[in-house]
Each structure stands twice: as structure tokens, then as C-alpha cells.
Amino acid sequence: MRNGKRMFGTNGVRGVIGEEMTPALVLKIGAALGSMRKGTIAVGRDTRTSGEALAHALKAGLLMTGCDVVDMGILPTPALQYIIKTNQFDGGAMITASHNPPEYNGVKIIEADGTEMSDDEIIRLEDRFFASEFVAVSWEDVGAETAAPDRIEEYIRAVVGHFPAGIGKGMTVVVDPGSGPAALTTPIILERMGCRVHTINARLDGTFPGRMPEPTPEGLQPLSEMVVATGADFGVAHDGDADRAVFVDNKGCYIEENYEFGLVEDYVCGRNSGGLVVTPVATSRLIQDIAEKHRCTVDYTPVGSIYVARRMIELIRQGKKVSFGGEGNGGLIYPDHQFCRDGGMTAAMMVAVLASHNGRELSDILDELPAYHLVKEKHHARDPAALVRAVEEAFSGETIEKIDGIKIVRDDAWALVRASGTEPMIRIMIESKDPGIADTMYREIMQAVRQA
Ligand code: MG
């Protein structure tokens, strides 16, 4: 696993239920977390069939180590994060496997400030887990549980409160929560903003009968059709825990997530110019183009939303102005709202984006953005790190950034070569406005790979 972690990945620990992911494992995670974070811990879950079983196990671990638990029931991850941050809970945990198929589940650990737990703290938690070093409290100190399923309303109100009343009047939107927890939030948020809302896959259902939790263009075909059939202004869909949002335009065309990022960035930075935009090295150069338009500067991080969120917080602590942040996968972070990806906020933001364009269609607005061509390949490697070093050596005469893997930066293209954190692979990404230039750069890199 990445960065010294043994069990947790970039966004929590995940596995197949009944195989690597069991209540026994989650009980120990709860006990480890409860031993590290005293006080009151908020617990939430997505709609997976195994969610209730794992939530009970997690809560048992927390209670027996002396923590009190507030069970928020089913809600989006960013809703739980918002409630934790604004109510001064001592921490939280979300039972979710995000975009993974229904047989998966997992745990994301949330800090008191609403951010996902850092690598250093996760390693401390894993050390406790593997050493079974749990605080055992006596009978009079065992924690108590309360249920608070209605607090999701606090999140809905907070999102709606960021926008002028009635900003969505006259707009029609189709929402596809993918049978996940956003069914409880996004349709209500958009309705309260004044939109006319249709829904698809909006019944909470852990078998995901309509589509898989990962919102792919194929899975969103019914959403696209419904957008066209209802004459909607756009369609929005979420992943399994609704920290991400993806869109189809008024013609039912899937909006590639870097373009979604660019559209929202243009709006957010247009109202808050001259700041920093924080994003991982793998994000399209489109983000840089739009940042420059608003006298903003892009600050690059390693791949992973927690690195973006933590970097935004760090820059603000240093007194810098941070306008916006996010990843090129539909996970966008609004510093005025909270320091985590927020799909409900992004759905709401698209209403504001469209409202700012005075009645123009989303497909027209998208046509004005510069077109980039992206090559994405994986290559098997027995020693991925050695292969990355070999590519670095071969391109040593050029501008190379080493934030995550190596990024070769040219005026008309860039390439990112990284070792996979989980498989014996290297991942290669190349982007240029000119497909020919991207393909040539890919061949140059593959030549260096073959020579190694
Ligand atoms: Mg997610």
C-alpha cells in the first residue's frame, strides 16, 4: 500500500464482504479508533446491504473503548464530514466503499475538522490494529449510543445557503443518485434552489438495481435519455457515497470530469480571482488555462483527494489565498464550505454556473473550452519504481517535476509516469491539445521503458 500504510488505501480501507471485509475486522478498526480518539464519534453509512452489519461492528469497537457514538444512519460522506466539522464531534467514521461494486464495503475515518484522516494518523491506527493495542474501559465507562438520522438537514441547509435564493428558477435538472445516499440530499438541494427536479435510481437500494456505484458514461445512459426526454438543462449523477458528482449536458452527452472541473473553476475563480487552485499532478492542463484567465496559480499535489484537501488547509494556514481545489474525477473541494470533496455542493454549483451564463445551453458553454487529448496506459512491470527511474533518466534533459512519480513538462504536452500503489504496474498519462504530439510522446516513453 501507499505511503507506508498496510491496510488502508488512498481513501479508507475496502474489501469484498465475507472475504477480506468482515464485521470482525471493522470491530477492531472501531476499537483502534476509539483508543486514539476519546469523546463522541459520529458514524454514517452508504446504502450497501452490508452497511448495517459493519456499522454495528464499528460502533461496538468504539463503545467498548469508551467513546460515545452518534449514529447518523444513511447519508453522503460529505454530509457526515460537514456535520462532524460544524458540531465539534471528536471524529467520525463512514461505512462505504465509494464507487466499488455492491459486494465491497469499507471504512473511511474522519477527523474532528471534517477531513479524512492523514497518512501519519492512519499508520498509527494500523499499528494499534495489528498489535491489538486497545484501551479497555470498565463497565462504568463504556460509551452510549444515540441515533440522529435527521441531522442530514444541517448539510442540505448549508449547501443551499451558499447560493442566492431562487437561483435555479426556470431550470430543469435530472438527478441520478445511483440508489445511494445522495437520494436523500441532492434532489432536495436542487429543489430548494428553485429547480424543477426529476430523479432516476433515487430509491435507497444496496443491490444497485439501476446502475453500479461508479457513474460511468455507459451506466448513465438512462440518465442521458431522461435529460433529453424531459428537455432538462443538465443531468447529475453521484458515486456510491456522493463525494463526487458527474454530469451530462442538455444534449445528454457525458461531460468528461476535467471539463466539469474547468467549468466550475471558471465560475468559482471568476468570483475569487488571484488565488491558488490546488489539484493533483494528473489533472488536465485545462485547469491551468482557466486559472491563468483569473490570475490564479495552480499548486500541484500527489494523486489523492486527501493530499489536495490537506494542502489547501496548509496554504491557508501560511496566509495564502486558496480559491478552489479538486481532482479531475468529479471530486471538487470548496474552501468556503469544507475541506473535502462534496458531490451535493458540486451539483448545486452547476446550477450557479449555468445561471451565470444568462440562459445559454450547457453544451454551448462547454464547446468554448479548449480541447485536450489524453492518453492513459498501464504497463506491467516487475519493479515499477526502477522503471520510473529509468524513464526519468531517459528524459533528464527536460523539465521534470517529482511530486508523484515523474511528470515531464513540455510547452505543448506533459506526461506523468507513476508506479501503481497496488499492482506491479506503471501508469502512464500524456496530455496535449494535439493528438499527434501526445502519441509521439507516448512512443518516446515506451522506448525508454523497453530499453530498461
Ligand atoms: Mg466516493
Side-chain angles (χ1 to χ4, degrees), residues 98-99 108 239 241-244 341:
S98 188
H99 60 273
K108 277 185 192 178
D239 72 322
D241 67 335
D243 53 358
R244 292 192 286 135
R341 299 179 293 184

Side-chain angles (χ1 to χ4, degrees), residues 39-116:
T40 306
I41 307 294
V43 173
R45 60 186 165 95
D46 67 16
T47 58
R48 286 161 199 279
T49 54
S50 56
E52 212 159 13
L54 295 191
H56 282 300
L58 184 83
K59 290 186 288 185
L62 289 165
L63 295 166
M64 76 177 199
T65 48
C67 290
D68 289 326
V69 168
V70 180
D71 190 337
M72 305 286 172
I74 292 173
L75 79 176
T77 300
L80 181 67
Q81 289 175 289
Y82 181 81
I83 295 166
I84 289 170
K85 177 192 80 157
T86 50
N87 289 280
Q88 284 152 3
F89 284 103
D90 298 289
M94 179 76 185
I95 304 289
T96 179
S98 188
H99 60 273
N100 288 128
E103 64 272 24
Y104 284 78
N105 212 339
V107 188
K108 277 185 192 178
I109 311 283
I110 315 294
E111 291 286 18
D113 64 359
T115 59
E116 278 182 58

Side-chain angles (χ1 to χ4, degrees), residues 211-261:
R211 67 166 171 88
M212 288 292 104
E214 172 70 12
T216 60
E218 301 73 45
L220 300 186
Q221 207 47 47
L223 171 67
S224 294
E225 285 164 21
M226 198 158 159
V227 165
V228 174
T230 58
D233 295 282
F234 66 88
V236 57
H238 296 287
D239 72 322
D241 67 335
D243 53 358
R244 292 192 286 135
V246 302
F247 296 87
V248 298
D249 69 14
N250 50 297
K251 292 178 174 166
C253 297
Y254 189 87
I255 302 176
E256 200 277 325
E257 293 92 326
N258 282 290
Y259 286 85
E260 165 195 340
F261 190 166

Side-chain angles (χ1 to χ4, degrees), residues 243-245 247 257-258 260-265 268 279 287 305 308 312 324-335 337-343 345-347 349-350:
D243 53 358
R244 292 192 286 135
F247 296 87
E257 293 92 326
N258 282 290
E260 165 195 340
F261 190 166
L263 268 179
V264 177
E265 180 193 15
V268 171
T279 194
I287 299 317
S305 64
V308 178
M312 290 170 81
F324 194 35
E327 300 179 298
N329 64 1
L332 304 180
I333 304 173
Y334 306 88
H337 177 51
Q338 59 176 346
F339 292 96
C340 63
R341 299 179 293 184
D342 192 326
M345 184 70 178
T346 301
M349 200 53 85
M350 195 55 81

